[in-house]
Amino acid sequence: MHVLSIREMDPETIDSLISSSLEMKKACRSGGSVPNLSGRVVGMLFLENSTRTRVSFEQAARKLDLGICVFGVQGTSMAKGESLKDTVLTLRYEGIDGLVMRHNCSGAPYLAARFFGGPVINAGDGMHEHPTQALADAVTIAEHKPSIKGLTVAIVGDVLHSRVARSNLWLLSKLGAEVRLVGPRTLLPRHPGHLPVSIHYDLASGIEGADVVMALRMQKERMDGGLVSSMSEYALMYQVNARSLRFAKPDCLVMHPGPINRGLELDDWTADGPNSVINEQVENGVYVRMAVFAAAFESNNGKPKKSQKKAVKA
Ligand code: NCD
């Protein structure tokens, strides 16, 4: 099974990955058993910077006894100009069983999936999608709320450049949440008609009555300039802080996929305060990636199944 996008994933698969992530968490915390994927090796092709996503995929692989081979552009033939297709074919014929891939071009993991032969997992492609981050966010919400169905989720900030927002809006709306996109006109989709969302240019009305407020990083590296007058004006109008959070429900969850620009999207009080579940999002990222590896290798794209259970130390 490839994991390329949430938009193309059916709600049953989303539900089963959420349940499986929660089982992985329980097993890891209590010394229960998790699938054993030893004998396989997954390639981690990270062609863009990453801390939490890369490390959580590595941690997930270790917990399942899955071998890993991590590389970026530096130190590989991609730095000599080798194409993505030839890189993927090389890995395939060297016997790499699965591929986790982060790329700055939207759609690159689809090209990899065409030539690789084994499961490909999208770890963030350009401005397109980041499916495992949305799953980690859903697991975190599911642990705090009775159901995702019926929740109001406000996604605030630089939606334009955010693959996290795109995966989240599909996932949350497929599971029955109301999704609002909140931010300045220049950072929201220009033609939102095809998206299952409502659009809000005003922070107070956008987060009014929200059960979840998800702030997004201002992706300065993807902005050519001119999208906002200044970062300080953005903070004045769109920062999620004690003052703006008064409009959301008192028990609303504050989320952020990281990395945070503290003092810009969130103030310190909100990032570290009682409503914040940001560190839980990070922790759940490991269990989601365990569940995704297990699902990817269970269905296995035709290769013989090697998985068996193993006990983990608590
Ligand atoms: C995000 C990403 O890289 O898409 N971070 C993450 O993976 N958790 C969000 C961002 O970079 O702003």
Side-chain angles (χ1 to χ4, degrees):
M1 175 178 114
H2 298 306
V3 178
L4 300 176
S5 92
I6 297 287
R7 186 177 186 170
E8 292 158 4
M9 199 179 274
D10 54 67
E12 294 71 35
T13 307
I14 295 173
D15 273 333
S16 106
L17 286 171
I18 293 174
S19 310
S20 160
S21 307
L22 289 166
E23 279 164 26
M24 298 288 180
K25 183 169 188 170
K26 203 165 143 204
C28 288
R29 287 190 165 186
S30 67
S33 60
V34 295
N36 184 335
L37 300 181
S38 60
R40 297 171 196 276
V41 179
V42 71
M44 306 258 190
L45 192 51
F46 274 76
L47 306 181
E48 250 191 4
N49 296 338
S50 173
T51 303
R52 66 213 81 219
T53 304
R54 185 170 60 79
V55 175
S56 64
F57 269 112
E58 289 182 30
Q59 282 290 75
R62 277 188 201 104
K63 286 176 190 288
L64 302 172
D65 278 351
L66 177 62
I68 52 174
C69 183
V70 185
F71 40 94
V73 174
Q74 287 316 313
T76 68
S77 289
M78 278 179 283
K80 300 177 187 170
E82 185 167 50
S83 69
L84 179 62
K85 175 181 166 183
D86 285 336
T87 303
V88 165
L89 285 170
T90 303
L91 299 176
R92 173 180 181 164
Y93 287 99
E94 282 171 341
I96 299 288
D97 300 290
L99 200 58
V100 173
M101 187 175 158
R102 169 165 287 197
H103 202 287
N104 61 348
C105 292
S106 301
Y110 289 81
L111 184 121
R114 254 181 78 194
F115 297 104
F116 181 60
V120 175
I121 300 165
N122 180 3
D125 61 329
M127 300 191 291
H128 173 231
E129 281 221 35
H130 193 345
T132 56
Q133 179 66 44
L135 287 163
D137 297 346
V139 167
T140 308
I141 297 172
E143 286 186 308
H144 286 272
K145 303 286 177 191
S147 167
I148 289 180
K149 189 170 178 189
L151 295 180
T152 300
V153 182
I155 303 180
V156 182
D158 185 0
V159 176
L160 183 68
H161 300 106
S162 176
R163 49 198 176 208
V164 174
R166 257 166 281 283
S167 286
N168 260 310
L169 70 87
W170 287 113
L171 187 153
L172 294 164
S173 64
K174 279 174 196 242
L175 297 194
E178 180 209 327
V179 180
R180 302 178 187 165
L181 302 182
V182 188
R185 223 168 264 273
T186 47
L187 295 179
L188 295 189
R190 277 163 215 151
H191 306 288
H194 66 294
L195 299 173
V197 297
S198 59
I199 298 285
H200 299 258
Y201 302 121
D202 172 59
L203 181 63
S205 69
I207 67 176
E208 178 152 27
D211 300 281
V212 178
V213 177
M214 191 181 288
L216 301 172
R217 183 174 69 89
M218 290 290 274
Q219 299 197 23
K220 297 174 199 167
E221 76 279 15
R222 295 192 211 271
M223 292 186 195
D224 297 322
L227 287 175
V228 288
S229 319
S230 70
M231 291 297 158
S232 53
E233 186 180 290
Y234 174 85
L236 206 61
M237 295 181 71
Y238 293 102
Q239 187 182 87
V240 178
N241 53 31
R243 190 173 40 85
S244 50
L245 215 50
R246 280 182 300 131
F247 294 98
K249 290 208 177 121
D251 63 347
C252 86
L253 305 178
V254 172
M255 307 183 79
H256 192 300
I260 306 171
N261 291 306
R262 283 179 182 256
L264 182 52
E265 305 103 30
L266 294 174
D267 66 353
D268 273 338
W269 182 85
T270 313
D272 304 324
N275 296 63
S276 171
V277 291
I278 294 169
N279 293 329
E280 294 170 46
Q281 289 173 265
V282 175
E283 186 187 347
N284 287 330
V286 176
Y287 306 120
V288 158
R289 281 142 192 149
M290 289 174 77
V292 164
F293 277 141
F297 285 113
E298 281 297 318
S299 60
N300 209 28
N301 297 7
K303 284 194 180 180
K305 204 160 143 184
K306 298 181 200 161
S307 97
Q308 43 182 262
K309 293 277 183 181
K310 69 152 198 154
V312 284
K313 286 188 222 94

